[in-house]
Every structure is written in C-alpha cells, then in structure tokens.
Amino acid sequence: MAAGPALPSDSRLADVAALDASHAWAVGYQGSTYGGPEPERPYALLSWDGSRWAEQTLLDKPTSLGAVGASSADSVWVLGDDAYRALAYAARWDGSAWHAYRPFPDDHYVGLNDVAVTGRDHAWMVGGSTGRPFIAEWDGQGFKRVFTGTNTGPTSARLMAVTADGASDAWAVGRTNDEPLIMHWDGTSWSETPTPSIAGGELWGVHKISANDVWAVGAIDRESLTPKPLLLHWNGTTWRSVTPPVAAGALYGVTGDQSGRLWVSSYNNAKTTFLRYVDGQWTAVAAPTSSDRSPFVQNLASVPGTTATWAVGTAGSQYVIALNGALG
C-alpha cells in the first residue's frame, strides 16, 4: 500500500494512469460531492513522483473527477463533472500548468466518462449525451463531436471507456439497447463493431494489447442482486465471450502489459477479487482486506517498464491507493 495525502472520509479514487515508475496520476472525489454548501476542494487529483503521492490543485474547480489519461509527462488529461454549472469538465496538464475547459458549454447533457491521450495535441473522450453514446476529439486547438449515436429507449446508451495507442486504432466500449456496445476507430472514422448479443450486458473497461488482442470487461444485470461478470476478447476478426474464473459479480478495471499479461478487478458481495491472465490462462486472486472491509477497486493501471500495477478505489470510509509489484 502506498501512502497518499490525507483526504476526508468517504473519499474515492475512480481512475489511475501511469507512464513509468516515477509518473502516475489518480483522480476521484473527496468526501460527499453532493448536498450542502459547495466544498472547497470536492475533487481529488493526486500525482506520483516515484516516492510519494501529492495532491494537486485545479484553479477552476470541478465537482468530481472520474477519468485520467496521459501520453507523456507534459500531456495529461482529467475529466469530470461541474455539477454546479451542469457541464462536463476537462483539464489538461502541459508540463507546467493545468488548463481547465468546459468542452461543450452550450450542452448541459454531455457527460464524459473516459479519455485516451494519443499525443501532446490529441485525445479521445467518450461518454453520453441525452441518452446516446458520445465521442469527442481534442485536436490541439479545441473540442469537436465526432460521433453521437441514437437514443435506444429507457436504458440510456453511453460509452464508458476508451483505449488507443496511436492515430489509427482505438476502441470505445459501453452499452446500447440494453446490450454491450463496442466502437472502433480505424484511422478514418468511428463505427460500431458487431458483438455477442448479451441482454442486460454493459462494458466499463477496455484494454488493447495489440491490433489483434483487445479485452473488454463489464457485467450482466449490474443493478440486480446477482450481477454476472462479462468478459469479451477481440482476436483481430471478431469479439467473443470468454468465461472468467469467477461466476458472479461485476468486472470494473482492466490493465496489462505488452507481454500479454492482464489484471481485472472484480467485485461481488462487498469483496474484491483480482483476475489474472498469464500464458493464456485466467486465475482468481483474492484482494487483501483491511480492518474496515475489503476494498472496492474501481480501476487499475500497469506501470510500463516494471511488473507493478496501481489499483485505486475505496475501502470503507477511506480511499485506496495500492501498488502491488507482485501483480505482474
């Protein structure tokens, strides 16, 4: 466990990104973000310098932060909500300062859930808008909508996660029409990719190892008392359903390295289990518990150039930052 700065009880970290052993960022919120007077620093933004986590300050305060992505130490993005203005929020670190944006100030219905940074002047952002999946692009000059899907009815469609490692290949996942939704960028346009028909399925995480090796995770019937894990794999031709090593619960975060090793966070009955994929085999590993309760791990990030993995979330009344070098 890596110690972080003191945050109020009931704080949560929602996402983490790492460039190497000396550069990582984690985002979330401090305490309760709703109700009562506006807190002074409701969001949580932490940075890792190789030896400790330190809190960073945004001049234009969002209500909470839910996503972070980075391509270099001078190209970092965080996304969140500005609930007091009912607008989506984004901020960019250029190596010396944070720059805040309301990407679509005339649209109070855009929510941005994840970001993939592909260069100093480019990033993909995904979410939802009026019940429809939504993709936006930052081109170094401003934001533009590149895809807005259709409203599929009472179960709102949205994109929850995006992964990309260059200009010509990106994946975004979520749900539509109460089934999993997967979008692909081929360097020219975004298009929906056929997926297995899974009623009640939705995807929350995606990780690309190579053009022929992509993993997506989520759950079936998440809001029921008995959700089931959802694990999909892209082999370069089709998406196929894979049986995970746990039969119940929901899958949240997924990360991996270029050797093909993967880690997935699973949560069921107030207990986190890590799913490990090595040499073509999935196994389940129990997460460590605290005196309060088992942590809820919302997201993971492998540390390039090492066998370490960052895990973030919450445990009882405390937030969690964990680094486990044995995960690799």
Side-chain angles (χ1 to χ4, degrees):
M1 184 79 68
L7 298 182
S9 62
D10 298 322
S11 298
R12 174 180 290 190
L13 296 177
D15 198 12
V16 59
L19 292 174
D20 51 41
S22 299
H23 297 87
W25 296 263
V27 299
Y29 60 80
Q30 299 190 33
S32 175
T33 62
Y34 302 101
E38 181 175 352
E40 178 65 20
R41 290 181 302 177
Y43 63 91
L45 173 56
L46 311 178
S47 63
W48 172 260
D49 64 4
S51 60
R52 68 185 185 96
W53 285 95
E55 191 174 359
Q56 293 199 19
T57 299
L58 298 169
L59 295 179
D60 198 358
K61 299 178 179 66
T63 307
S64 65
L65 296 173
V68 57
S71 63
S72 62
D74 59 359
S75 183
V76 184
W77 280 91
V78 296
L79 304 181
D81 296 318
D82 182 357
Y84 300 102
R85 296 180 179 86
L87 293 172
Y89 177 92
R92 176 177 58 93
W93 173 257
D94 64 5
S96 59
W98 285 98
H99 304 272
Y101 306 91
R102 270 70 181 179
F104 303 99
D106 298 325
D107 192 339
H108 290 236
Y109 300 98
V110 171
L112 299 176
N113 296 323
D114 198 20
V115 57
V117 186
T118 60
R120 185 174 176 82
D121 295 323
H122 190 269
W124 296 111
M125 302 173 188
V126 303
S129 174
T130 59
R132 300 172 293 174
F134 181 88
I135 302 175
E137 181 182 20
W138 166 266
D139 62 4
Q141 302 297 319
F143 301 88
K144 61 181 179 180
R145 304 167 189 255
V146 295
F147 174 82
T148 302
T150 57
N151 189 316
T152 57
T155 303
S156 37
R158 58 186 178 180
L159 291 166
M160 295 300 298
V162 59
T163 183
D165 60 6
S168 61
D169 195 21
W171 293 91
V173 302
R175 73 177 184 185
T176 184
N177 198 27
D178 202 30
E179 291 192 344
L181 170 64
I182 300 180
M183 304 287 299
H184 182 236
W185 169 259
D186 62 6
T188 302
S189 62
W190 284 93
S191 60
E192 185 174 346
T193 301
T195 62
S197 180
I198 302 173
E202 57 183 306
L203 297 167
W204 303 325
V206 61
H207 178 75
K208 176 188 172 184
I209 297 174
S210 69
N212 300 323
D213 194 2
V214 186
W215 292 87
V217 303
I220 303 169
D221 298 329
R222 176 178 68 94
E223 297 181 0
S224 73
L225 296 176
T226 57
K228 297 179 181 179
L230 179 56
L231 180 63
L232 300 180
H233 180 247
W234 171 259
N235 62 10
T237 304
T238 59
W239 283 96
R240 298 184 183 275
S241 181
V242 176
T243 302
V246 292
L251 308 183
Y252 286 89
V254 56
T255 190
D257 58 33
Q258 291 304 309
S259 69
R261 293 173 294 190
L262 292 170
W263 283 93
V264 175
S265 62
S266 169
Y267 194 72
N268 184 50
N269 289 330
K271 181 180 179 181
T272 288
T273 301
F274 292 112
L275 312 185
R276 180 174 61 182
Y277 182 78
V278 180
D279 297 330
Q281 298 293 323
W282 283 99
T283 56
V285 180
T289 59
S290 67
S291 58
D292 195 345
R293 71 176 187 184
S294 175
F296 166 63
V297 174
Q298 187 161 343
N299 254 313
L300 306 164
S302 60
V303 182
T306 76
T307 60
T309 301
W310 287 109
V312 300
T314 187
S317 61
Q318 300 297 320
Y319 71 96
V320 172
I321 304 176
L323 175 63
N324 191 332
L327 289 186

